[in-house]
Amino acid sequence: MRIAVVCYPTFGGSGVVATELGIALAKKGHDVHFITYRQPVRLDMLISNIHFHEVSVPEYPLFQYQPYELALSSKLVRIIKKFDIQVLHVHYAIPHAYAGYMAQQMLAQEGIHIPMVTTLHGTDITLVGNHPQYKPAVTFSINQSNAVTSVSQNLKEDTLRLFDISEDKIQVVPNFIDVSKSNDKEVECQRHIMAKPNERIVTHISNFRPVKRIDDVVKIFKGITEQIPAKLMMVGDGPLQNEARKQCKELGIEEQVIFVGNSNEIDKILCFSDLFLLPSERESFGLAALEAMMHGVPVISSNSGGIPEVNKHGFSGFLSDVGNVSDMVTNAIKILKSDTTLSLFKENAKEQAAIFDINKVVPVYEKIYEKVLAEVLQS
Ligand code: GMT
């Protein structure tokens, strides 16, 4: 099948899911064309049937805001025609589903009918999409999509609660990980570089936005260090990074916290991590936690949004109410206090992650593509 993929090319979870899915589809023999404003960070261009088409937005002084949607839909029309694309898959409703719909309409004028699959990822529904300024356009473009998927049951429920969309429109297709990567012998666990032998390594990965409750991450770690020697790896970049650095200084733990910034070496970092922290205010799924679990890292998380669908309380980690830092510290200590308990939780985390293996999810997307394609051909 010839598939066009639209996504955000950044370190965020939706871009990662889109890229990993595209790579997996290409490995199965599909032709996959990524159309976005920059090469996605995890995109491996060495796979022969992966293609990348950059959307550039010409700047003009009259515009206060550059019209990316226009440039994207024009590019979609060109690429879909040139490569005879059969299915368009857009990740993140804003503005991708809207631009995709415009492209569909322009193509229809020329007698080309292409189905669009929209995958909802979370903030496109709960934080941004729900804003009155965007809501009518988001509702419209979700309803116009030939198929809509959401990355968790919880996100489906949120979408139905917040938007005027019929229940049978949305199919839950959970996010996934490639379990074979956790067995990758080429990844060297260089634990000794990061911590002393008696220290536990605690990790947090995010875009350092308010929704991630970065101050709770630091407070939980502080609570852990009061009982157990540990290091904290802060991976990623975003608006709250400087505040977090300040907070570490104030709490007197700056020597124990390593700010790594954005990294393409997540596998290596998770390989030597003992515990992952995700105390988010809200999370449609929590892909970062799933990636941690795949590497045998138990998770201390909040119980918000779709996280309970991923992290199992008392098995792969523990869940607490949002903001209940002392409960999160108690739970972290339960896991970290002995090598035996830690090993047990590590094994459990891997077992739980395996439920979300990519090999179970890719065929589901293939079926959706086949269905929408057949429907469009019949109409
Ligand atoms: O978490 C973010 O702020 C980034 C955001 C994104 O769009 O990349 O992540 C969302 O999509 C991920 C992939 O489906 C999910 O794993 C995250 O839980 C979700 N984030 C939120 O719902 C806050």
Side-chain angles (χ1 to χ4, degrees), residues 5 28 48 75 187 260 273 276 348 370:
V5 177
K28 286 186 89 174
S48 59
K75 186 83 177 186
V187 175
V260 182
S273 299
F276 190 83
N348 292 351
E370 281 159 18

Side-chain angles (χ1 to χ4, degrees), residues 151-178:
V151 299
S152 66
Q153 179 62 31
N154 177 266
L155 179 60
K156 175 175 174 170
E157 284 158 19
D158 276 348
T159 311
L160 296 176
R161 184 170 48 80
L162 298 168
F163 294 85
D164 189 10
I165 288 162
S166 68
E167 192 184 343
D168 54 2
K169 184 87 197 176
I170 304 175
Q171 180 176 346
V172 177
V173 184
N175 285 334
F176 52 83
I177 31 90
D178 183 350

Side-chain angles (χ1 to χ4, degrees), residues 12-14 92 121-123 151 175 207 212 282-287:
S14 63
Y92 210 88
H121 280 275
T123 46
V151 299
N175 285 334
N207 51 21
K212 304 293 172 184
R282 147 162 306 284
E283 209 59 72
S284 69
F285 184 88
L287 183 67

Side-chain angles (χ1 to χ4, degrees), residues 30 249 262 307 329:
H30 299 286
K249 241 188 206 143
N262 282 328
I307 302 179
V329 173

Side-chain angles (χ1 to χ4, degrees), residues 38-59:
R38 205 187 311 131
Q39 185 177 321
V41 284
R42 288 210 193 166
L43 189 59
D44 182 355
M45 293 302 293
L46 295 177
I47 302 166
S48 59
N49 35 346
I50 289 257
H51 314 266
F52 165 60
H53 310 279
E54 186 178 330
V55 181
S56 55
V57 189
E59 299 224 347

Side-chain angles (χ1 to χ4, degrees), residues 306-351:
I307 302 179
E309 294 173 46
V310 181
N311 184 22
K312 290 292 161 213
H313 189 73
F315 185 70
S316 54
F318 287 101
L319 297 101
S320 309
D321 289 341
V322 172
N324 193 343
V325 169
S326 69
D327 193 50
M328 293 185 194
V329 173
T330 306
N331 290 335
I333 300 294
K334 268 187 213 160
I335 296 176
L336 295 175
K337 67 171 189 257
S338 83
D339 288 346
T340 321
T341 337
L342 180 56
S343 304
L344 180 68
F345 272 90
K346 279 181 177 258
E347 280 314 308
N348 292 351
K350 275 191 196 171
E351 192 183 317

